[in-house]
């Protein structure tokens, strides 16, 4: 990632950077593809050339404003950012709108390849997410529930409809504590969250994804770490939700805040919970079935997009289980 250094001159650095670097943090959030690091009166700007140029011009404007007023307020910073954002929108066409792509288009991979809803079930997920704030997608393995959901979240982030993506999974095998595993938090939870990383790595180039993770623009965490939080301006995905208990499901759903949407995915035929605990994904279908703004989408073996044998395996298990019942 390219970088350059900007030097604050003629004014005290704290006026430009803000108390406890508050102004710098706001600029860092406004330009998610860049990273700003301040040391004294020097600011290291890392990121795309166009963003670096914009930030340099912003710092120039802020210094001129500070010299004229002997101060710089948060409102001054907001005004400069709003003007830059307005100029950017007027100059650039929307790269996310491609009329050549069918209505099944969701977003692009980092290589520019189109990601589309490939099956009737996946199309229902896209349609349901467009008109509902909370969507439950229930179906067998290989139907693209997680991948489609992550693609919708990435699209919402790119279109600036949300400020962050939060991806959660129950870490059932480690009892949600994860304490006995070696390594830091990320190393502990990676084995359980790897499928979410895989999907993101398809859609966002490596350096940018690492930057988003470092800035918590994209956050991946076990379900237990959602407790006590309010998730505003976020696209939230709970994956493998069949392994969430009733209490965990209630806890997760009541985290949803303003301007947020959620997709909950799971396969109720593959629950890993202890026998005495009921899956929250099973009971939630009865509890929330009549609430407006919540949609349930069901996928089946016809939506399987993995190896052709996966569909036959699912059908064989269904027949076996029905016979036993």
């Amino acid at each position: 990632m390219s970088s350059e250094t900007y030097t604050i001159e003629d004014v005290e650095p704290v006026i430009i950077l803000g108390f406890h670097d508050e102004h710098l943090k706001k600029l860092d959030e406004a330009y998610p593809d860049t990273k700003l690091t301040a040391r004294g009166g020097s600011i290291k700007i890392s990121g795309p050339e166009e963003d670096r140029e914009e930030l340099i011009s912003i710092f120039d404007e802020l210094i001129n404003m500070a010299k004229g007023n002997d101060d710089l307020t948060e409102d001054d910073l907001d005004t400069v950012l709003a003007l830059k954002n307005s100029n950017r929108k007027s100059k650039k066409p929307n790269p996310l709108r491609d009329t050549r792509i069918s209505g099944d288009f969701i977003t692009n991979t980092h290589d520019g390849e189109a990601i589309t809803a490939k099956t009737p079930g996946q199309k229902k997920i896209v349609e349901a997410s467009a008109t509902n704030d909370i969507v439950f997608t229930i179906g067998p393995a290989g139907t693209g529930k997680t991948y489609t959901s992550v693609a919708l979240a990435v699209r919402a982030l790119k279109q600036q409809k949300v400020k962050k993506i939060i991806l959660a999974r129950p870490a059932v095998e480690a009892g949600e504590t994860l304490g006995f595993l070696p390594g830091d938090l990320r190393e502990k939870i990676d084995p359980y969250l790897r499928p979410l990383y895989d999907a993101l790595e398809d859609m966002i180039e490596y350096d940018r994804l690492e930057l988003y993770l470092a800035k918590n623009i994209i956050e991946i965490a076990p379900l237990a770490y959602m407790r006590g939080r309010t998730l505003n301006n976020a696209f939230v995905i709970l994956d493998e939700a069949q392994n969430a208990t009733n209490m965990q499901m209630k806890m997760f759903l009541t985290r949803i805040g303003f301007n947020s949407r959620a997709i909950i995915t799971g396969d109720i035929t593959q629950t890993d919970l202890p026998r005495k605990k009921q899956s929250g994904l099973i009971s939630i279908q009865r509890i929330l079935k009549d609430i407006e703004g919540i949609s349930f989408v069901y996928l089946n073996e016809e939506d399987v997009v993995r190896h052709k044998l996966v569909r036959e395996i699912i059908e064989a298990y269904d027949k076996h289980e029905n016979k036993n019942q």
Side-chain angles (χ1 to χ4, degrees), residues 43-109:
I43 305 168
K44 183 179 178 182
I45 308 172
S46 304
E49 181 180 1
E50 187 174 1
D51 286 354
R52 297 200 313 268
E53 289 176 356
E54 276 196 23
L55 282 163
I56 288 171
S57 70
I58 286 174
F59 285 122
D60 286 341
E61 289 184 40
L62 294 177
I63 287 174
N64 288 332
M65 293 173 76
K67 287 163 66 176
N69 302 326
D70 294 325
D71 193 15
L72 186 71
T73 67
E74 191 170 345
D75 287 341
D76 293 332
L77 178 58
D78 289 340
T79 299
V80 172
L81 282 173
L83 288 171
K84 286 294 179 184
N85 190 44
S86 177
N87 291 338
R88 196 184 314 131
K89 287 182 177 178
S90 64
K91 290 178 182 178
K92 291 184 181 179
N94 185 354
L96 299 168
R97 184 175 297 165
D98 190 340
T99 56
R100 297 170 299 172
I101 299 175
S102 73
D104 299 332
F105 171 73
I106 302 175
T107 188
N108 293 107
T109 67

Side-chain angles (χ1 to χ4, degrees), residues 64-285:
N64 288 332
M65 293 173 76
K67 287 163 66 176
N69 302 326
D70 294 325
D71 193 15
L72 186 71
T73 67
E74 191 170 345
D75 287 341
D76 293 332
L77 178 58
D78 289 340
T79 299
V80 172
L81 282 173
L83 288 171
K84 286 294 179 184
N85 190 44
S86 177
N87 291 338
R88 196 184 314 131
K89 287 182 177 178
S90 64
K91 290 178 182 178
K92 291 184 181 179
N94 185 354
L96 299 168
R97 184 175 297 165
D98 190 340
T99 56
R100 297 170 299 172
I101 299 175
S102 73
D104 299 332
F105 171 73
I106 302 175
T107 188
N108 293 107
T109 67
H110 63 81
D111 292 329
E113 191 175 324
I115 297 173
T116 60
K118 295 181 174 63
T119 71
Q122 291 177 12
K123 292 175 184 178
K124 288 177 183 177
I125 296 173
V126 175
E127 292 165 2
S129 181
T131 55
N132 296 273
D133 288 336
I134 298 177
V135 177
F136 290 85
T137 66
I138 300 172
T143 51
K145 304 183 297 296
T146 299
Y147 196 84
T148 302
S149 301
V150 172
L152 288 168
V154 170
R155 181 175 71 177
L157 184 66
K158 287 179 178 178
Q159 293 177 338
Q160 299 182 345
K161 291 181 178 178
V162 296
K163 291 185 177 180
K164 68 186 305 180
I165 296 172
I166 299 174
L167 309 174
R169 264 191 169 199
V172 171
E173 295 86 346
E176 291 273 350
T177 63
L178 303 168
F180 66 87
L181 293 175
D184 59 20
L185 174 62
R186 184 166 172 181
E187 289 170 334
K188 290 175 189 290
I189 64 179
D190 264 1
Y192 307 103
L193 306 176
R194 190 66 244 172
L196 299 173
Y197 283 108
D198 290 343
L200 287 168
E201 286 169 358
D202 264 5
M203 302 170 202
I204 303 172
E205 60 187 18
Y206 179 79
D207 286 345
R208 182 171 297 182
L209 178 57
E210 287 297 305
L211 185 63
Y212 284 178
L213 290 168
K215 287 187 172 185
N216 281 330
I217 293 171
I218 295 178
E219 184 178 346
I220 306 177
L223 176 58
Y225 286 74
M226 297 296 105
R227 191 175 301 278
R229 300 180 60 183
T230 300
L231 309 175
N232 294 319
N233 297 306
F235 200 117
V236 191
I237 297 173
L238 174 58
D239 195 37
E240 297 288 342
Q242 75 275 4
N243 290 328
T245 64
N246 284 317
M247 288 301 295
Q248 287 173 328
M249 182 66 75
K250 181 180 178 181
M251 177 273 291
F252 173 80
L253 292 173
T254 53
R255 301 306 93 202
I256 308 302
F258 294 108
N259 191 41
S260 290
R261 60 184 70 182
I263 297 183
I264 297 91
T265 76
D267 177 2
I268 55 177
T269 68
Q270 295 192 33
T271 300
D272 297 318
L273 290 169
R275 288 185 179 181
K276 293 181 180 180
K277 291 188 177 182
Q278 184 182 21
S279 168
L281 189 60
I282 293 175
S283 56
I284 207 71
Q285 297 171 76

